[in-house]
Amino acid sequence: MIADASMPVYSLTPENIVRELKHLPSAPKVLPRLKLLLSDGNSAMHEIVALVRLDPGIAARVLQVANSAYYSKGVRCTTVAEAVNRVGYDQIYELVAYAVASQVLVRPLEIYGLEADELWQMSVACALAAEAIAARTNQDRDVAYSIGLLHCVGMVALDEWSIRGGEKLMFSVGSFPREAIDSERAVLGFTQAETGAALMTHWDYPSTMSEPVRWQYAPRSSAGHLRMATLLHAAKWVRSAVCSPTIAARPTMPDALYLQPLGLTAAMLSSIAGDVARKLADVSSLLDVGGPDVARHRFPGQNWRS
């Protein structure tokens, strides 16, 4: 059945959809647990290694990246312990987050008309933007990175549900800030953001991470998570700007009212967009996602200053 802009056709809730999913990997559960370990100064490296080894897919990806030219310096490692020690305590969170992204977010989304590399770039660009904004506004950088990385995981859940249920949905996708929410609400009665928050709750993420994802389209409506929801909303603008094919296609800046809780400005976001574009190119080369130079070809020397 093709979705249209009529009344909702399903008596569903985001929680119902999440409960029906059987095929999404559980890999993202590693991130909040890793965050707790890294926040505890008494955590030992062997505890981090034990956590990474719980998921074979993540362990394999960590090994693959640790053996890349960037980290290996020509010396191959064969165990997760060697890989984690090679990367180092300070970088392991980002590395595991990249591994999670490759497990969950490198896939085409038929119902949104997105290719796998587009979804991956959106997710990682938003994560890098959220981390950069957090650094400038004294917010938790790891929490910001996680919610940026998983901000559109609800889209993955809805696509999986559509495919497995044989419903053949198709949403109309616009630009930032509304994206597909009008079409999602018309068909389902709720958005991918609400679905993503339900999925993150199912994955044992704390409300400090799931609620900003829920309120990414309306951050000022978030009762107890205004600053992080605002941060994610701003990071999504940076993501959209970085992933735009040309400067002319960049979205309009977020409303100043949405930037106020963190004291952000348009100039700050433009500056961050330039930094994120360069870092995304480096990450794409490191992980060979879509080919080593895909990001450099897509974002060639753009001037991000306002």
Side-chain angles (χ1 to χ4, degrees), residues 60-246:
R61 192 60 164 153
V62 167
L63 274 166
Q64 180 183 359
V65 174
N67 281 312
S68 68
Y70 183 87
Y71 284 111
S72 70
K73 304 298 188 289
V75 179
R76 186 167 186 80
C77 63
T78 58
T79 69
V80 172
E82 288 179 286
V84 170
N85 278 283
R86 173 176 290 178
V87 172
Y89 193 91
D90 293 337
Q91 281 74 46
I92 191 62
Y93 188 90
E94 277 197 14
L95 177 56
V96 173
Y98 292 148
V100 167
S102 70
Q103 289 277 92
V104 181
L105 301 171
V106 180
R107 57 187 291 165
L109 297 185
E110 294 181 9
I111 65 174
Y112 292 95
L114 282 174
E115 298 297 330
D117 70 318
E118 292 178 291
L119 176 64
W120 181 88
Q121 287 180 3
M122 283 172 54
S123 302
V124 176
C126 193
L128 294 172
E131 182 182 50
I133 294 170
R136 295 198 187 193
T137 57
N138 297 315
Q139 303 302 300
D140 188 307
R141 293 175 63 174
D142 289 341
V143 169
Y145 190 95
S146 294
I147 65 172
L149 186 71
L150 297 173
H151 77 283
C152 57
V153 74
M155 296 167 65
V156 179
L158 289 175
D159 185 78
E160 181 72 20
W161 179 81
S162 173
I163 292 171
R164 298 293 174 180
E167 298 296 343
K168 302 298 182 185
L169 301 179
M170 184 63 68
F171 295 121
S172 175
V173 183
S175 58
F176 174 89
R178 295 194 64 80
E179 299 169 342
I181 60 173
D182 293 331
S183 183
E184 290 165 345
R185 283 182 176 144
V187 176
L188 298 171
F190 50 85
T191 69
Q192 71 86 15
E194 294 164 88
T195 307
L199 185 58
M200 290 175 71
T201 299
H202 178 71
W203 279 336
D204 299 323
Y205 277 66
S207 61
T208 51
M209 294 185 180
S210 62
E211 286 304 295
V213 169
R214 182 187 309 278
W215 296 105
Q216 61 185 271
Y217 295 109
R220 296 188 69 87
S221 298
S222 174
H225 305 277
L226 172 62
R227 291 174 68 82
M228 199 58 77
T230 296
L231 183 149
L232 178 56
H233 188 77
K236 287 180 64 178
W237 179 87
V238 174
R239 171 216 74 186
S240 299
V242 167
C243 293
S244 295
T246 64

Side-chain angles (χ1 to χ4, degrees), residues 243-262:
C243 293
S244 295
T246 64
I247 293 178
R250 288 190 340 186
T252 303
M253 275 283 173
D255 191 300
L257 193 63
Y258 285 171
L259 302 181
Q260 185 180 20
L262 289 176

Side-chain angles (χ1 to χ4, degrees), residues 132 136 270-280 304-305:
R136 295 198 187 193
S270 291
S271 174
I272 288 170
D275 295 338
V276 168
R278 287 185 288 272
K279 190 165 185 181
L280 183 61
W304 295 96
R305 299 287 179 180

Side-chain angles (χ1 to χ4, degrees), residues 262-291:
L262 289 176
L264 293 168
T265 66
M268 289 170 65
L269 290 188
S270 291
S271 174
I272 288 170
D275 295 338
V276 168
R278 287 185 288 272
K279 190 165 185 181
L280 183 61
D282 291 338
V283 170
S284 296
S285 295
L286 173 62
L287 299 184
D288 291 327
V289 177

